Structure formats: structure tokens, C-alpha cells
Amino acid sequence: MTGPPQDGTEPAEPDLEGDLEGGDPDPAATDQQAGGDQPAEDLEGPRRRARREREERRAAQARATAIEEARREAKRRAMGRPVQEQKTLGRGAVRGLKLIMWTTVIAVLVVSLGLVLYFTPVMSTRSIVVTGLGAVTQEEVVEAAGVASGTPLLQVDTDVVAERVAGIRRVASVRVQRQYPSTLRVTVVERIPIVVKDYPDGVHLFDRDGVDFATAPPPPGVPYLDTDNPGPDDPATQAALQVMTSLRPEVASQVGRVSAPSVAAITLTLIDGRVVVWGTTDRTEEKALKLAALLTQPGQTYDVSSPDLPTVK
């Protein structure tokens, strides 16, 4: 048992703070007391150490990349080249590029197909079908069309072919159509004679427009025309034709001759010798209706020049 110090000083009190507070001793102090200094890394767990090392590697790689980009940019600037800017394409831009690409591909395919059809006999003219024929023969139409067999349909100018066929005097109108793969259809509307006129070379047929389209025997039921200068530009001819086309079929079939010395003095002579005084072309439709009723009455002269007061003599 140890006694108080002999020099007369008070004995040191023991440090009981750590024991009274229940605290743990300082690890660093403990380590130092244990006899050596240890690095802080030894206090990290394996997971924290691995995460710290990954972050350090990423930071080092980012610094290296930034340094390399800065070096390249400085080099481009020193050589006078424009600095390239990185651009990121969005979804809309990618979609637009795809649309442009597919549109280009489709356009190339369409053009290629058109060139094949235009320059090769894949779809060529092998037959010409003509409809609407009467007095005109198919041989006349085919010859006038002038389309050689084997000509690609796309090379056939339908308007030009129609003009050629329309050059036939008896043809009033023409329609030309392509029918793939190898047919050209020509639809013809022939002229119909409304009146005829005697000439030294024979009887000439005139259609509703006053066109002299044929020299042939007069068809049954078509009246003769008495005018000085018949033709599409003659006012008297046009007046006579207007009257004839306004008549009802049963009345028109009875007319044997229509005389038009002027536009104001039109006269119809029926096959049985009766005479119709028509006058001018005013109120033509009304006159035609009155004449159909008047012809049911006996008489020799039927005057409808004034449709309000038609007379029979």
C-alpha cells in the first residue's frame, strides 16, 4: 500500500470523466497509445473505398478528355479552321431525315418505273379500238390516227391523235383514251345531216352547225335547203337550221324543203305541198309548239310568224 508523497504535496485525483460519462476512449489516442500512427484509409470499408476510387477515376478521365478537347480546339484555331460544335439531333430531326430518305427512295422508284414504261415496249400499243362508227370505217380512223403498233402508250399524244381523226369530214368530235396495258380507245361522234343542198357535183350534206361534211345521196326524211351561201358562217343558214332543230320529230319528218332567203323570211314546205310561214327566229320554241297543233287542222298555209295569232288558210 502506497502512502502520501513525502514532499508534502497533495496527491493527484484520478480522471474519472470518461468513466462517469460513459464515453469511449478516442480511437486515435488508443492507436497512438498502442504504439503507431495508421492512415485514414484503413478506417474505410471496402465498399466506400471502391466507390471513392471509381469517382476518382471518372474525374481523372473527364479531366483528360477536357484537356484533349482543349488541345484540339487550340490546334484548329491556330490552323484557321472553324471550331466544330457538337450538335445533338433530336427525335424530330431524326424522323424528318427518315421521311426525306423514304420520299427520295419512292421518287426514284416512280421515276424509274416511268422511264421503263415510256422508253420500253412493256406497255405498248397493240390494238386500237374504235367506237361510235356509222358511215365512217374503222380503217379510216386507224389510218388518220397514225399510231404505229408497238408505240409505248405513254408516248402517244392523245390530243394530237384526236385532232388527226377529227380531220375526217364526217367526224364531229373525237375522244382518245389510253387503256393499259396495250389498248388505245378512240370514241367517234359522227355528224348527222339536218339539211341537204344540190350542187353540180351531187347532193351535199350539212349538219346542225352548217358544216358541209359529205357528198352523198340524200338520206330519207332530210329536207333540202334553199339559201344563197350555205355554210357555218352564213346567218340565213344558221336561222334555217335553228328552225329545223326546234321542230318536233313528227313535224320535222314532214318537211321537204326549208327556204331562207334571209333571217326574217323563213318558209317551210311540207312533203304534201302545204306551206308554213315561219318568219324570223324570234320565239322559235313557241312557234314550234303552235305549229304542231295547227297541222292537225285542214288547210294549205299555216302562218306562225306571229305566235300570238297563228292562222290557217
Side-chain angles (χ1 to χ4, degrees):
M1 184 172 182
T2 302
Q6 298 298 323
D7 53 4
T9 60
E10 295 181 359
E13 296 180 359
D15 187 6
L16 300 178
E17 182 179 359
D19 295 336
L20 294 176
E21 294 178 358
D24 295 332
D26 186 2
T30 305
D31 292 339
Q32 291 177 0
Q33 292 174 2
D37 294 334
Q38 295 182 0
E41 289 80 355
D42 293 340
L43 301 179
E44 292 179 344
R47 292 184 180 179
R48 297 181 63 181
R49 183 182 302 111
R51 183 167 62 252
R52 178 176 55 78
E53 291 176 353
R54 285 197 301 269
E55 291 176 354
E56 290 177 354
R57 286 196 298 270
R58 291 173 183 172
Q61 184 177 1
R63 286 194 298 272
T65 301
I67 294 172
E68 181 65 19
E69 289 295 331
R71 185 186 65 79
R72 292 179 181 177
E73 182 177 348
K75 183 178 179 180
R76 284 193 292 267
R77 289 178 178 176
M79 299 179 65
R81 296 178 181 176
V83 179
Q84 296 181 355
E85 296 181 358
Q86 295 183 353
K87 296 182 179 179
T88 303
L89 295 179
R91 293 184 178 179
V94 174
R95 191 180 298 110
L97 290 176
K98 289 183 179 180
L99 178 61
I100 293 175
M101 181 186 68
W102 282 111
T103 302
T104 303
V105 171
I106 294 173
V108 170
L109 292 177
V110 171
V111 171
S112 301
L113 179 61
L115 292 176
V116 170
L117 297 179
Y118 189 85
F119 290 105
T120 65
V122 174
M123 290 187 179
S124 59
T125 306
R126 296 183 177 87
S127 63
I128 299 179
V129 177
V130 184
T131 59
L133 295 176
V136 181
T137 64
Q138 177 157 335
E139 289 73 15
E140 289 181 276
V141 175
V142 173
E143 182 180 358
V147 178
S149 179
T151 303
L153 285 178
L154 289 178
Q155 293 186 19
V156 177
D157 191 330
T158 55
D159 292 336
V160 172
V161 175
E163 290 179 2
R164 293 172 184 166
V165 178
I168 301 174
R169 291 176 61 191
R170 282 185 174 270
V171 174
S173 63
V174 185
R175 184 182 182 187
V176 180
Q177 298 171 288
R178 303 184 188 92
Q179 289 188 338
Y180 297 99
S182 59
T183 302
L184 193 67
R185 176 174 290 274
V186 182
T187 304
V188 174
V189 177
E190 295 188 7
R191 299 184 186 275
I192 300 175
I194 301 298
V195 294
V196 298
K197 184 173 177 62
D198 275 324
Y199 282 93
D201 61 344
V203 177
H204 288 214
L205 310 183
F206 292 81
D207 69 355
R208 63 184 304 139
D209 297 321
V211 176
D212 181 356
F213 65 88
T215 301
V222 178
Y224 281 80
L225 174 66
D226 290 334
T227 56
D228 295 333
N229 299 301
D233 298 327
D234 179 46
T237 302
Q238 292 296 325
L241 292 172
Q242 182 180 349
V243 171
M244 287 302 305
T245 54
S246 69
L247 297 176
R248 291 188 175 183
E250 64 272 15
V251 176
S253 62
Q254 300 181 48
V255 180
R257 187 175 295 272
V258 52
S259 177
S262 68
V263 295
I266 301 173
T267 303
L268 307 178
T269 302
L270 305 186
I271 297 175
D272 58 9
R274 291 180 293 176
V275 177
V276 177
V277 179
W278 193 275
T280 68
T281 55
D282 295 338
R283 303 170 66 180
T284 295
E285 297 295 333
E286 188 176 353
K287 291 180 181 180
L289 292 175
K290 294 292 179 64
L291 178 60
L294 286 179
L295 290 178
T296 61
Q297 302 178 18
Q300 186 62 30
T301 302
Y302 300 83
D303 190 343
V304 291
S305 57
S306 177
D308 296 327
L309 296 172
T311 60
V312 179
K313 297 181 181 178

